[in-house]
Structure formats: C-alpha cells, structure tokens
C-alpha cells in the first residue's frame, strides 16, 4: 500500500501540475484516503474498486480490535466513509468465528443504500444485543439515531466534515448511556489519514481547509 500511495502522490502531482484548485486538492485527497484502506477507484474501471495486492494492515488491525471487543462481551460501532469500505468490512466481519462453537459475529450495516425498514432493523438489532457490530457511514447514521449499546466506536476512515464527526460521536453518547465509550481512529502512518484526524481532533473543518488551501495533499 505504501508503494502504491507514493506512486499515486507523484501521479496526482503530475496530473494536476499547476492546477492548485479546491477540486484538484479534493480529488487527490480522496484517492490517497482510499489507498490507505486497500483500494482505489480508477476512472477506467467502470466504478469497480481496484484492489491493492498484498496485505491490508488497516483491515487486519480492525479485525484484531473487533475480535478482542466482541470476545470480551462488548459491542462496537465502525464508521467508514465509503460504501466500498463498508462492504469490505462486512465481508471481513462475516468471516470471524469466535468461541468454542466458532459462531459467526452478528453484524448490521447502515448506509445510503439501506432502506427505512433496514435502518430500523439495524438499530433495533444492535441496541437489543442481537448484533455485536454496527457498520455505518457517518452521513447516513450520524444524526437522529441512538446507539448506546456500544462500548467502542472505531473510525476506519473519516469524512472530511467536522459536523459528521461530532454527530457520529454523539450517537453513542445519548440519554441512556451507562458505560464509558472508547473511541479509536485507525490511521496509516505518514499519510493523509494523520492530517485529517489531527484536524478533526482540533475541531477544524477539513472540507473548509481543503477549499481554502490551508490543507494540501
């Protein structure tokens, strides 16, 4: 992934040479953010993600964390920015088997394509404990829902919106929450991930920083 990331940085600089515009900066940051998650979208791939060969460290680390949390009886919310990531995470969670009986870990997903009935089912299943993992997109699930069953919240990837981040954090801190909640950011070292998380932790609006030129890839 690091090799692909470095190559993409060079290619993007060449592609947008002399074009330091908000759209160019956003395009570069989106692509680099995708690469740290193990794939990227190629304009000639007809919308299908191009998988990066080899290990996916961020996904492997997520699996370790989920296995540990669920084994200890906890429940976890996983937020991811892209639909591809949500589906990949769901596939990975579906492959986890825990306990002597090797039982699969029950999970639900909640994102733009989830219909109203599916959204209600996802919330009910998680809050009742039937689902141990809630995988969602911050924009779709960041407002208007309560997920106080969670003891952990993991950000596999972050939106570039401070509002989305704060709203998604609040999902596990609604009225009725009786336990401490641990928040985890999964970050690829020396990548765009670090810069985005640093900005959000300092309550800065990443999207506005990109538009103004205060944040560049």
């Amino acid at each position: 992934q690091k090799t692909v990331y470095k190559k993409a940085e060079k290619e993007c600089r060449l592609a947008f040479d002399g074009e330091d515009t908000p759209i160019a900066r956003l395009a570069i940051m989106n692509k680099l953010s995708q690469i740290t998650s193990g794939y990227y979208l190629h304009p000639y791939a007809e919308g299908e993600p191009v998988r990066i060969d080899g290990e996916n460290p961020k996904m492997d680390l997520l699996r370790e964390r989920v296995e540990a949390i669920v084994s200890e009886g906890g429940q976890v919310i996983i937020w991811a920015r892209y639909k591809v990531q949500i589906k990949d995470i769901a596939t990975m969670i579906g492959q986890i088997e825990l306990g002597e009986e090797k039982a699969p870990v029950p999970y639900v997903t909640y994102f733009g394509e989830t219909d109203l009935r599916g959204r209600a089912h996802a919330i009910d299943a998680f809050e009742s404990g039937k689902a141990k993992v809630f995988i969602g997109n911050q924009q779709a699930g960041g407002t208007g829902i309560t997920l106080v069953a969670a003891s952990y919240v993991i950000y596999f990837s972050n939106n570039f919106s401070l509002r989305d981040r704060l709203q998604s954090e609040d999902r596990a801190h609604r009225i009725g929450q009786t336990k401490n909640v641990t928040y985890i950011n999964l970050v690829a070292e020396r990548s765009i991930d670090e810069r985005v998380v640093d900005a959000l932790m300092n309550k800065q609006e990443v999207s506005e920083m990109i538009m103004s030129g205060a944040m560049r890839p």
Side-chain angles (χ1 to χ4, degrees), residues 4 22 35 57 71 89 115 119 123 127 157 163 173 175 184 198:
V4 175
I35 290 172
S71 294
I89 292 168
D115 60 24
R119 294 186 181 201
I123 296 169
E127 289 297 281
S157 58
R163 178 179 180 276
H173 273 294
I175 295 174
I184 300 171
D198 284 346

Side-chain angles (χ1 to χ4, degrees), residues 56-127:
N56 187 336
K58 188 184 283 190
M59 190 69 74
D60 292 343
L61 183 57
L62 177 63
R63 179 171 184 148
E64 290 178 12
R65 294 292 183 268
V66 170
E67 288 179 347
I69 292 166
V70 176
S71 294
E72 294 172 357
Q75 290 177 248
V76 56
I77 300 169
I78 302 171
W79 295 117
R81 184 178 180 194
Y82 300 100
K83 176 177 67 176
V84 175
Q85 295 171 348
I86 292 172
K87 291 185 175 181
D88 283 354
I89 292 168
T91 298
M92 180 272 289
I93 299 295
Q95 295 170 348
I96 298 176
E97 297 179 338
L98 298 176
E100 294 181 359
E101 298 180 356
K102 298 296 182 182
V105 175
Y107 68 88
V108 291
T109 59
Y110 193 112
F111 60 107
E113 293 181 0
T114 310
D115 60 24
L116 291 177
R117 179 177 295 181
R119 294 186 181 201
H121 166 74
I123 296 169
D124 290 344
F126 188 73
E127 289 297 281

Side-chain angles (χ1 to χ4, degrees), residues 29 87-88 112 183 195:
M29 291 183 67
K87 291 185 175 181
D88 283 354
Y183 293 86
R195 300 176 67 182

Side-chain angles (χ1 to χ4, degrees), residues 161-198:
S161 165
L162 177 61
R163 178 179 180 276
D164 287 347
R165 172 68 191 223
L166 296 176
Q167 290 282 1
S168 64
E169 288 179 358
D170 286 346
R171 295 315 96 206
H173 273 294
R174 309 288 281 178
I175 295 174
Q177 180 58 272
T178 59
K179 52 186 171 293
N180 293 326
V181 181
T182 300
Y183 293 86
I184 300 171
N185 290 291
L186 298 186
V187 177
E189 288 186 321
R190 294 181 294 279
S191 77
I192 197 64
D193 287 356
E194 286 189 332
R195 300 176 67 182
V196 170
V197 170
D198 284 346

